[in-house]
Amino acid sequence: FPITWRQASLAFVCGSTLAILVAIILEMTLPYLAYLLLEPFWYLAEGFADIAWGAPGFIERLFASPLIFVILAITAVEAPIPEEFAKALGIPMFGRARIQNERQAFAIGLASGAGFAILENLLYEGLYASHNGWGWGGITLLRSIGSVSHPLGTGIMALGWFRMRNE
């Protein structure tokens, strides 16, 4: 195995505690920063002041407006960037001397991403089951499809960090 059980445990715990905390903080502050950056473009939303969500013609006006690009940009940036940054925070904690090769860096990233994915899934399952009446099995199936990307993405980031550090 490229890493010891202690390294895997540390990376897993770091991904499921530190990364979740940092991601929550960043995901709460990023919308405010986006608002401050996009506030000068208030005129894009001016045509929507007279209608409410679900009103007739709302969807047609939304997709014909440049506001849709703002909404899509915020959606594409708001969750993935803070999460990927937060999941990768635990990797430098191992230091330069402890990560010896690419396999080890990738395995540590996988463990950190897996810790993040498992805790995120537990949080989502608790929210969906308690508020929406969803069954545990259905939520687990839906979340497991997307959960593969957390360990894989963090492993790739750890590999990139290792290669950048050794250049």
Side-chain angles (χ1 to χ4, degrees):
F1 293 104
I3 58 175
T4 65
W5 68 270
R6 286 183 182 184
Q7 290 173 324
S9 299
L10 179 62
F12 186 86
V13 168
C14 197
S16 63
T17 56
L18 174 70
I20 292 285
L21 180 65
V22 170
I24 288 172
I25 291 169
L26 289 175
E27 287 174 354
M28 286 181 357
T29 58
L30 194 60
Y32 296 113
L33 294 175
Y35 171 76
L36 292 175
L37 290 172
L38 296 173
E39 198 271 330
F41 302 105
W42 60 269
Y43 59 87
L44 292 176
E46 197 171 60
F48 294 94
D50 58 340
I51 59 174
W53 285 96
F58 177 78
I59 297 296
E60 292 83 6
R61 288 175 70 182
L62 178 65
F63 283 108
S65 166
L67 182 64
I68 190 70
F69 294 114
V70 173
I71 292 170
L72 290 175
I74 289 173
T75 304
V77 170
E78 192 173 311
I81 289 180
E83 285 184 3
E84 295 304 321
F85 172 75
K87 289 186 295 185
L89 278 179
I91 297 161
M93 288 177 48
F94 284 90
R96 291 178 178 260
R98 290 190 180 174
I99 300 178
Q100 301 294 326
N101 55 34
E102 291 180 349
R103 286 179 55 207
Q104 194 175 21
F106 187 72
I108 288 171
L110 284 175
S112 178
F116 186 91
I118 288 172
L119 191 66
E120 184 184 48
N121 287 343
L122 289 173
L123 292 172
Y124 275 125
E125 287 172 3
L127 287 172
Y128 286 141
S130 66
H131 295 296
N132 296 333
W134 278 46
W136 181 85
I139 298 167
T140 303
L141 180 65
L142 287 174
R143 292 293 308 161
S144 66
I145 295 167
S147 293
V148 174
S149 64
H150 285 301
L152 189 60
T154 311
I156 291 170
M157 283 189 71
L159 188 59
W161 173 80
F162 178 80
R163 288 182 179 174
M164 180 188 74
R165 183 194 67 163
N166 288 335
E167 285 183 357

